[in-house]
Amino acid sequence: MSPIIKTFLYGVGVFSLFTVIALILKLATNHKPVDADYFGLFTNSDLMLGVVVAVAVTFAHKRKMRLK
């Protein structure tokens, strides 16, 4: 498999994991935003934070794999 596709899939996995953890925390604490844009649970800022986290973790993982 192409290294670009592997990196992309890793990033999508990190984003998905972040989204699931955020969803679990919102449901466990009964904290539902008033201005939720997606599924009544997520705002644009939640998803943008997920993208930033996914990019940062993917970049760190890529650098770590390159050093080995």
Side-chain angles (χ1 to χ4, degrees), residues 13-66:
V14 170
F15 178 77
S16 300
L17 184 64
F18 177 86
T19 306
V20 168
I21 290 172
L23 176 65
I24 290 169
L25 289 174
K26 286 181 186 228
L27 293 176
T29 60
N30 290 326
H31 178 69
K32 296 180 183 174
V34 177
D35 58 342
D37 298 327
Y38 304 99
F39 308 114
L41 295 169
F42 296 109
T43 62
N44 283 332
S45 62
D46 292 337
L47 297 181
M48 286 296 121
L49 181 61
V51 169
V52 169
V53 167
V55 168
V57 170
T58 303
F59 179 72
H61 175 73
K62 191 74 170 168
R63 284 195 63 192
K64 179 181 174 185
M65 297 311 283
R66 212 177 272 159

